[in-house]
Amino acid sequence: MTESCKHCTKGTTSSLGFCPFSLALFAGTALSYVKYLQNKSSKSTTTTTSSSSSSNEPFRVVFVLGGPGAGKGTQCTLLSQNHGWAHLSAGDLLRAERKKENSPLADIINSNISAGKIVPSEITTQLIKNAMVELRETQGQIKFLIDGFPRSEGNVKAWKDVVGDAAVLEYVFFFECPYDILTSRLLERGKTSGRSDDSLDVIRKRFDTYREESMPIIEMYEKEGKVRKIMADRSIEDVYAEV
């Protein structure tokens, strides 16, 4: 921000370089939109329950985790095609939301993804739940591979708060791969993907976030006996055969 905001006291900005008034307004708008999404999902669930007895059956969920570039999306696509599970990518849902016109969440999502940070958990979780509800309503689907989620303790808490008993977690697939291979895969993908998070600087930040926030979640699920570990530094065919 290069000019003082006229709403701030004495026309000054904070020491961090942003306007406190604008920040408060921005946060309030995001919170209101998350509540709107929750109400929308709740109404959709109620409608589905009244129209079909199958809506009482909980979602069956497998979380698919691993470092950036581990091949989670590729394996989920194969599993979806061959075994009838719907593939939901947390990253794809966020990228779709950030492209929507007049979305109050777009700036929040864009700034976090570009910085290699995790998007606020409530936003990600609500987008996932909305997608599951929609697929159950339109296709009768209740089996979901959720790719790239949960990535933090906040994600886990938001899942319990937003989804709760509406879903049963069956497994956690963990695709393990050395960082040098992940880096080369992401740089190669960045040549054609057009994604701002496939640049080297952002890749390093994503690895830092993964080590600090995602690995403890994998370790938590491992203690619960949910994790199925797959080495992902092999060919697509070899990895899929193990999965």
Side-chain angles (χ1 to χ4, degrees):
M1 180 177 294
T2 58
E3 297 182 1
S4 298
C5 174
K6 65 181 180 180
H7 297 290
C8 294
T9 305
K10 298 181 181 179
T12 61
T13 59
S14 74
S15 59
L16 296 177
F18 54 76
C19 164
F21 177 85
S22 298
L23 180 62
L25 181 62
F26 191 59
T29 301
L31 180 59
S32 297
Y33 190 68
V34 168
K35 290 181 178 179
Y36 162 75
L37 289 175
Q38 290 174 334
N39 290 334
K40 180 180 178 182
S41 177
S42 177
K43 291 177 180 178
S44 296
T45 303
T46 301
T47 301
T48 306
T49 301
S50 63
S51 62
S52 172
S53 60
S54 65
S55 66
N56 294 321
E57 189 174 355
F59 298 116
R60 295 172 58 193
V61 169
V62 173
F63 290 148
V64 184
L65 301 176
K72 301 183 295 296
T74 298
Q75 295 301 323
C76 284
T77 298
L78 292 172
L79 289 169
S80 178
Q81 292 173 348
N82 297 325
H83 295 282
W85 286 64
H87 172 207
L88 295 179
S89 165
D92 287 348
L93 290 171
L94 289 167
R95 281 185 284 274
E97 185 68 25
R98 68 194 288 202
K99 292 178 181 178
K100 290 181 179 179
E101 294 184 3
N102 302 318
S103 169
L105 299 180
D107 287 340
I108 297 176
I109 296 171
N110 284 331
S111 62
N112 278 273
I113 290 179
S114 295
K117 297 180 180 179
I118 293 176
V119 172
S121 299
E122 293 77 12
I123 295 174
T124 306
T125 307
Q126 194 63 53
L127 291 175
I128 293 171
K129 183 180 180 182
N130 289 351
M132 291 194 299
V133 170
E134 181 177 354
L135 284 172
R136 180 168 62 185
E137 289 179 347
T138 59
Q139 301 179 22
Q141 179 63 269
I142 63 167
K143 301 186 299 181
F144 295 94
L145 298 165
I146 302 183
D147 167 9
F149 182 94
R151 294 184 177 184
S152 68
E153 184 177 345
N155 281 176
V156 174
K157 182 180 184 302
W159 178 264
K160 292 177 180 178
D161 292 343
V162 175
V163 179
D165 294 337
V168 174
L169 176 61
E170 299 199 353
Y171 300 109
V172 176
F173 287 161
F174 171 38
F175 291 93
E176 190 172 18
C177 189
Y179 288 116
D180 58 336
I181 294 178
L182 294 178
T183 300
S184 63
R185 287 179 179 177
L186 291 171
L187 290 175
E188 185 64 28
R189 184 176 73 181
K191 294 177 181 179
T192 57
S193 69
R195 286 174 48 171
S196 61
D197 56 344
D198 279 343
S199 65
L200 185 57
D201 288 342
V202 177
I203 288 171
R204 289 169 177 165
K205 293 177 183 177
R206 294 173 71 190
F207 284 164
D208 290 341
T209 301
Y210 171 68
R211 281 190 293 264
E212 294 169 5
E213 301 196 36
S214 298
M215 281 306 301
I217 301 307
I218 294 170
E219 292 167 0
M220 178 193 75
Y221 284 125
E222 195 164 22
K223 292 178 181 178
E224 296 178 6
K226 295 286 189 181
V227 173
R228 303 294 184 268
K229 186 180 296 186
I230 302 107
M231 289 305 301
D233 58 347
R234 299 169 291 168
S235 69
I236 293 174
E237 294 77 14
D238 287 346
V239 173
Y240 179 69
E242 183 175 346
V243 174

